[in-house]
């Protein structure tokens, strides 16, 4: 996609964090973007802010990735408004961390339903449109999708799952000229796990860095497909 102007993107979990950064980067290139969150007001507030500072219009929608029909409804809203869908960023995610002894079945379920099944639902609902546009799908996995750690059982399971799911989907969809990339970030300064980003997060990847990466990948020649990308802070604090 050499020229991104007037393309249409769907970004799940765009009210804050990485999704916000990606939506802002896309809007600055003239892409029209629909962002979602479980909370309508927050999605609409973020959309207004990004539109004000960007170029392409952004709209906010309430849509829970754990519900397939709500993914279909959000995509229908974009098609009714703009008539096409070119880019999907399956980003929404949550984290519950703790030893398996302390992790509750509800926390396990929410992590898997959001981070893994939610990604499947967002992709599944968008494929018919992406086949028409020869579009591009990004999933936001994590370095936790390849490195496991104590206290990470649910999150590791969800992100290892997303990494494997995305690679298989890439092989299924490239025959339609749909590109699929999974991005696996290390620490990013966001609101993840109820964190409030501040000065002490300056060493981390910033949300706009992931936005820049997505734009660069979209502009890459159609014949080349980086299918899995690890991105990490250049200089993390010494342990
Ligand atoms: N931060 C990191 O260091 C890091 C590193 C690697 C990977 N990641 C991944 O990056 C993705 C984004 O996380 P983030 O760091 O940007 O976190 P964040 O700042 O907490 O943002 C998460 C976004 O997802 C939305 N969301 C959560 N559950 C949802 C659901 N069921 N349906 C729709 N939207 C939902 C949130 O909005 P509502 O709460 O209003 O629904 C919010 O917009 C996640 O998949 C995360 O695992 C993060």
């Amino acid at each position: 996609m050499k020229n991104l102007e007037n393309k249409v993107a769907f970004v799940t979990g765009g009210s804050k964090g990485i999704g916000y950064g990606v939506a802002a980067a896309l809007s600055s290139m003239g892409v029209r973007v629909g962002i979602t969150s479980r909370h309508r007001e927050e999605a609409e507030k973020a959309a207004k802010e990004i539109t004000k500072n960007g170029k392409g219009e952004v709209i906010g929608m309430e849509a829970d990735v754990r519900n397939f029909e709500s993914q279909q409804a959000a995509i229908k809203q974009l098609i009714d408004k703009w008539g096409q869908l070119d880019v999907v960023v399956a980003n929404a995610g949550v984290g519950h961390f703790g030893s398996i002894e302390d992790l509750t079945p509800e926390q396990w379920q929410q992590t898997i339903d959001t981070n893994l099944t939610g990604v499947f639902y967002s992709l599944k609902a968008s494929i018919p449109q992406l086949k028409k546009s020869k579009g591009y799908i990004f999933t936001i996995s994590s370095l936790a999708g390849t490195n496991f750690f104590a206290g990470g059982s649910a999150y590791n399971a969800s992100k290892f799952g997303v990494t494997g799911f995305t690679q298989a989907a890439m092989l299924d969809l490239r025959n339609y000229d749909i590109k699929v990339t999974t991005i696996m970030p290390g620490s990013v300064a966001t609101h993840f796990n109820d964190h409030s980003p501040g000065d002490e997060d300056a060493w981390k990847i910033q949300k706009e860095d992931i936005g820049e990466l997505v734009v660069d990948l979209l502009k890459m020649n159609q014949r080349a497909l980086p299918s899995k990308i690890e991105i990490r802070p250049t200089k993390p604090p010494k342990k």
Side-chain angles (χ1 to χ4, degrees):
M1 283 181 209
K2 287 283 173 224
N3 183 5
L4 298 182
E5 193 124 6
N6 288 328
K7 297 287 187 193
V8 177
F10 176 56
V11 180
T12 69
S15 63
K16 53 192 173 192
I18 292 172
Y20 187 107
V22 171
L26 291 171
S27 167
S28 75
M29 300 305 297
V31 179
R32 298 166 290 179
V33 190
I35 60 172
T36 65
S37 138
R38 290 166 295 181
H39 305 96
R40 179 178 309 280
E41 273 179 24
E42 289 186 26
E44 287 177 349
K45 185 167 161 270
K48 223 180 242 170
E49 237 171 58
I50 300 171
T51 303
K52 199 168 132 225
N53 300 317
K55 197 165 154 200
E57 186 188 354
V58 181
I59 61 164
M61 299 174 283
E62 180 183 329
D64 192 323
V65 294
R66 293 170 294 178
N67 181 306
F68 181 54
E69 286 74 28
S70 104
Q71 295 310 287
Q72 289 180 305
I75 286 162
K76 182 172 183 307
Q77 198 177 325
L78 297 187
I79 298 299
D80 290 348
K81 187 171 172 59
W82 290 317
Q84 67 195 69
L85 178 66
D86 305 284
V87 180
V88 170
V89 185
N91 159 77
V94 294
H96 291 294
F97 300 96
S99 161
I100 183 169
E101 288 185 281
D102 302 323
L103 193 73
T104 66
E106 292 73 27
Q107 290 172 324
W108 169 270
Q109 206 61 56
Q110 194 202 9
T111 309
I112 300 297
D113 287 352
T114 308
N115 298 5
L116 182 55
T117 310
V119 171
F120 167 68
Y121 286 163
S122 306
L123 265 57
K124 180 86 185 153
S126 61
I127 287 166
Q129 294 301 329
L130 294 174
K131 279 168 79 173
K132 291 184 205 162
S133 63
K134 300 190 192 307
Y136 204 138
I137 293 169
F138 298 91
T139 66
I140 306 299
S141 180
S142 170
L143 287 182
T146 182
N147 305 328
F148 46 84
F149 50 86
S153 58
Y155 193 65
N156 281 145
S158 72
K159 293 299 185 180
F160 270 68
V162 167
T163 304
F165 163 74
T166 310
Q167 294 305 291
M170 178 272 291
L171 295 175
D172 289 340
L173 296 175
R174 64 180 174 171
N175 300 316
Y176 298 108
D177 287 315
I178 299 173
K179 285 193 184 185
V180 184
T181 298
T182 191
I183 297 176
M184 307 172 74
S187 298
V188 188
T190 70
H191 294 86
F192 191 67
N193 203 21
D194 292 332
H195 180 70
S196 297
D199 292 346
E200 70 284 4
D201 294 312
W203 62 273
K204 294 181 181 173
I205 302 163
Q206 302 299 310
K207 59 184 187 300
E208 54 271 25
D209 300 330
I210 307 290
E212 191 180 4
L213 174 64
V214 166
V215 167
D216 287 351
L217 288 167
L218 283 170
K219 288 185 167 177
M220 188 173 276
N221 195 296
Q222 179 62 21
R223 67 180 167 245
L225 172 54
S227 51
K228 194 165 71 169
I229 295 184
E230 295 186 1
I231 172 168
R232 63 189 76 233
T234 306
K235 210 171 166 191
K238 284 205 174 95
K239 280 190 184 153

